[in-house]
Amino acid sequence: MTVRLAVPEDAGAMLEIYGPIVRETAISFETEVPGLKDFRGRIEKYHLHAPWLACEAEGRLAGYAYATRYRERLAYQWSVECTVYVHDRLRGQGVGALLYRNLLHALRMQGYCNAYAAITLPNPASVRLHEAQGFRSIGVYEGVGYKLGGWHDVGWWGLRLQEQPARPEPPRPPGEALTAMEWEAS
């Protein structure tokens, strides 16, 4: 398996993974599968602040992971919300862990201090994946979303990526941080 930066041309393969999740589960609270143009736009937009990674196995997209701003207000700029999606045939084979290790490493290099993940409950596989990466449960929004005929809780997990400096510099853009020699070496 190889991990690389995603490109907008990956959107179609990513939608093959994401579409069934939207249509058939409450894992994502989207109720309609986004169109190809919209999804490509997401990749381009999110790359402005944090990496969007793709994992390939045997020449096919196995999964993807990305981080978005946690909130828009400037005081939150050192925090991100992370997510990972893995092709249903490859779940439990280490794809999610590989993606998260690389994503979290990149976020540290950029200067982010906190990563958060929202998990629709119950989802023991996602909880295990996040906790294996060092995330810890920090709370639950009870009955926060209605999808597929039922109300769903969302658990929040948090991870301190690095110590919080007294006077932090803004996180570096992905293009600057991810071309650094230490990213290539990793």
Side-chain angles (χ1 to χ4, degrees):
M1 288 187 283
T2 59
V3 175
R4 60 172 173 75
L5 288 173
V7 294
E9 293 75 23
D10 290 321
M14 289 177 178
L15 282 170
E16 289 178 20
I17 294 169
Y18 188 59
I21 291 168
V22 171
R23 286 189 301 273
E24 302 164 13
T25 77
I27 290 170
S28 168
F29 275 7
E30 284 198 78
T31 56
E32 293 188 23
V33 178
L36 183 61
K37 182 179 177 182
D38 179 49
F39 209 78
R40 289 172 63 104
R42 290 180 191 188
I43 296 169
E44 292 168 347
K45 177 183 175 186
Y46 297 169
H47 266 308
L48 297 175
H49 303 287
W52 186 313
L53 303 179
C55 178
E56 292 181 336
E58 300 175 4
R60 295 189 57 173
L61 192 73
Y64 61 95
Y66 61 89
T68 60
R69 290 180 173 201
Y70 173 69
R71 296 277 192 265
E72 289 298 318
R73 293 188 174 105
L74 195 57
Y76 290 116
Q77 70 181 305
W78 295 275
S79 298
V80 294
E81 185 176 337
C82 302
T83 194
V84 62
Y85 292 102
V86 176
H87 197 289
D88 62 349
R89 291 190 318 265
L90 297 170
R91 291 185 189 136
Q93 297 183 29
V95 174
L98 178 63
L99 281 162
Y100 254 149
R101 280 193 305 274
N102 281 272
L103 180 64
L104 298 173
H105 175 69
L107 294 170
R108 286 182 184 100
M109 288 177 50
Q110 286 183 257
Y112 287 105
C113 296
N114 306 296
Y116 299 100
I119 303 172
T120 304
L121 301 175
N123 190 336
S126 187
V127 169
R128 277 192 306 275
L129 170 63
H130 286 83
E131 290 182 350
Q133 300 308 310
F135 285 83
R136 62 180 181 80
S137 176
I138 58 174
V140 175
Y141 290 168
E142 296 178 350
V144 70
Y146 183 86
K147 186 176 177 186
L148 301 175
W151 289 96
H152 301 278
D153 296 346
V154 171
W156 282 91
W157 271 256
L159 173 66
R160 178 68 48 88
L161 293 167
Q162 56 192 326
E163 290 303 313
Q164 298 172 324
R167 297 198 184 280
E169 293 291 322
R172 295 189 300 172
E176 179 184 319
L178 300 182
T179 58
M181 186 169 30
E182 64 265 18
W183 170 257
E184 295 299 323
S186 69

